[in-house]
Amino acid sequence: MAITLNSGFKMPIVGLGVWRMEGKDIKDLIINAIKIGYRHFDCAADYQNEAEVGEALAEAFQTGLVKREDLFITTKLWNSDHGHVLEACKDSLKKLCLDYLDLYLVHFPVATRHTGVGTTASALGEDGVLDIDTTISLETTWHAMENLVSLGLVRSIGISNYDIFLTRDCLAYSKVKPAVNQIETHPYFQRESLVKFCQKHGICVTAHTPLGGAAANTEWFGSVSCLEDPALKGLAEKYKKTVAQVVLRWGIQRNTVVIPKSSKLERLQENFNVLDFELTKEDMDLVKSLDRKYRTNQPAKFWGIDLYA
């Protein structure tokens, strides 16, 4: 099952996010995911594991497990590389062992002090606050992204963590429209207005953190997971599915792409098996009523400044 992007390319509606996956585990995880049926992998320079992902992809291609054209590979431009888009993209391609990307995203709508292509530590000043580069506009960054399409390095380009106003601006100055806006959205953080705006203007929404971050975000940010919600547990019992499967199915029925992360084989299988049932309108409405406007991913913890304030 796939969504056709405004660029004309198809994006599988279920993917695997590789954030916080440790290097030594990645090869087996990706090979196993491909065997299960995953064809969409969501990466980023900031995850510091593109090289390990690349090794796994190279093995998958060399052994004939899949062909390059069978996979949809996304990666992202880090904040400190807004003034070095071409070099950053080439660096990611080299690490991923690829000739082209299916999708390249601006990871966050903020340019920070350049620390060297391939280095993604948060650029903090002596005051512990993010060093934001005020000389590079998002429009300048976007036109450099468009150049990647012209060069054939990237098939589709998009944005990530953009709100309605920044997305509107990108539509205004773009020659190549953003194909995707990847945002945090889950039952506790539904962002209905942003999702509707993007979809109305032909931008596919990809839900990162589609399960609300679960244990990982509880550990990092002290956040509460929607997977413990009694109403969602009730739906899981009704459909004889796990809570995670119900939440992912809800995301798919909103016409959003979901990219859950898991390092456990049984969870990989479980998260992929979400296309054989459908939530009723009443149950979709029930999930809609659970919105808490509750963001679980809090980069302010690392940046000393809350860009969402």
Side-chain angles (χ1 to χ4, degrees), residues 185-192 195 207 209-211 226 232 235 243-256 258 274 277-281 283-291:
T185 180
H186 46 77
Y188 279 1
F189 195 43
Q190 299 187 20
R191 312 179 83 180
E192 192 71 15
V195 171
T209 325
L211 300 175
C226 63
L232 293 174
L235 289 179
V243 179
Q245 287 174 319
V246 168
V247 171
L248 293 174
R249 182 68 211 185
W250 169 80
I252 289 169
Q253 287 181 222
R254 295 177 88 201
N255 292 317
T256 62
V258 293
V274 291
F277 73 108
E278 187 170 328
L279 300 178
T280 65
K281 182 184 183 302
D283 290 336
M284 288 293 290
D285 289 341
L286 173 60
V287 179
K288 188 174 183 178
S289 73
L290 302 177
D291 192 9

Side-chain angles (χ1 to χ4, degrees), residues 59-206:
E59 181 176 306
F61 300 148
Q62 287 162 6
T63 59
L65 185 59
V66 282
K67 298 175 182 175
R68 169 64 185 97
E69 56 269 28
D70 296 332
L71 298 185
F72 190 101
I73 309 296
T74 301
T75 197
K76 309 179 189 80
L77 174 79
W78 186 237
N79 305 339
S80 56
D81 287 333
H82 279 228
H84 302 266
V85 173
L86 178 59
E87 303 98 306
C89 180
K90 286 183 174 179
D91 185 64
S92 287
L93 282 168
K94 182 178 179 182
K95 288 174 178 171
L96 290 166
C97 302
L98 299 175
D99 296 324
Y100 68 90
L101 295 168
D102 295 280
L103 179 64
Y104 196 43
L105 303 177
V106 180
H107 201 150
F108 282 95
V110 60
T112 61
R113 171 169 48 84
H114 185 58
T115 53
V117 170
T119 65
T120 60
S122 296
L124 303 181
E126 292 181 2
D127 57 0
V129 175
L130 197 65
D131 271 349
I132 295 175
D133 188 335
T134 59
T135 69
I136 303 171
S137 71
L138 292 177
E139 181 174 356
T140 299
T141 301
W142 188 253
H143 292 321
M145 296 282 286
E146 292 173 327
N147 186 48
L148 302 176
V149 179
S150 302
L151 293 171
L153 298 176
V154 176
R155 287 185 164 180
S156 304
I157 51 176
I159 53 184
S160 182
N161 300 302
Y162 277 50
D163 64 16
I164 285 180
F165 300 110
L166 293 173
T167 304
R168 187 214 72 90
D169 278 1
C170 190
L171 286 169
Y173 55 64
S174 61
K175 297 185 182 74
V176 178
K177 301 298 181 188
V180 168
N181 188 6
Q182 184 178 128
I183 60 171
E184 178 181 346
T185 180
H186 46 77
Y188 279 1
F189 195 43
Q190 299 187 20
R191 312 179 83 180
E192 192 71 15
S193 295
L194 178 55
V195 171
K196 283 181 178 176
F197 178 84
C198 289
Q199 291 176 342
K200 182 173 183 174
H201 292 277
I203 301 172
C204 170
V205 172
T206 295

Side-chain angles (χ1 to χ4, degrees), residues 6 13 27 42 209 231 248 278 305:
N6 61 25
I13 203 160
K27 184 186 271 191
D42 183 82
T209 325
L248 293 174
E278 187 170 328
I305 185 173

Side-chain angles (χ1 to χ4, degrees), residues 16-33 41 43 47-57 263 268:
L16 177 64
V18 302
W19 186 32
R20 290 185 288 206
M21 283 192 181
E22 296 297 329
K24 62 183 183 299
D25 301 325
I26 287 177
K27 184 186 271 191
D28 286 345
L29 276 167
I30 288 180
I31 295 296
N32 283 325
F41 295 92
C43 314
Y47 303 164
Q48 289 290 296
N49 55 17
E50 286 177 316
E52 289 81 4
V53 172
E55 287 179 27
L57 295 177
S263 54
L268 284 178

